[in-house]
Amino acid sequence: IDAALLVSAHELRRGRREDAARALLAVDEPSAPPADRLRLGEALESAGRSKEALKHFEQVYAETRAEDLGLRLAWMLAQSREPEERD
């Protein structure tokens, strides 16, 4: 996860959002600690991949029930333009 975050940050600085997102989406580590998966979700959000970030946040929230993450999820869902995500 750390390597993908580093590559993504580098690509974002160069203005390559899709390359940054591709590096992050290549990571598939469901057994990673929640904090690492949260960082991955934050990076996806920064790369313009809100839907994918939302999935990561929902998974981490289901495991941790962290209040701040719950508030963030509520805000993201309220801002969503897709009605099915708000339900």
Side-chain angles (χ1 to χ4, degrees):
I1 290 179
D2 287 335
L5 291 169
L6 183 63
V7 169
S8 173
H10 176 72
E11 296 295 353
L12 282 174
R13 280 192 298 276
R14 298 179 79 190
R16 299 178 178 172
R17 291 180 81 148
E18 280 305 309
D19 291 338
R22 197 173 2 267
L24 296 168
L25 292 171
V27 175
D28 184 25
E29 293 195 35
S31 62
D36 287 345
R37 288 184 286 127
L38 180 62
R39 290 174 37 217
L40 190 60
E42 290 170 342
L44 282 164
E45 188 177 16
S46 294
R49 294 296 188 99
S50 295
K51 276 188 175 187
E52 290 89 346
L54 187 62
K55 289 177 187 175
H56 281 276
F57 294 151
E58 287 172 338
Q59 291 170 353
V60 173
Y61 180 73
E63 290 177 33
T64 64
R65 294 291 189 220
E67 185 178 346
D68 58 333
L69 186 53
L71 292 171
R72 184 176 193 165
L73 276 169
W75 180 82
M76 286 180 76
L77 291 171
Q79 299 299 313
S80 176
R81 292 185 178 141
E82 299 189 29
E84 65 271 4
E85 286 183 358
R86 289 188 222 147
D87 294 333

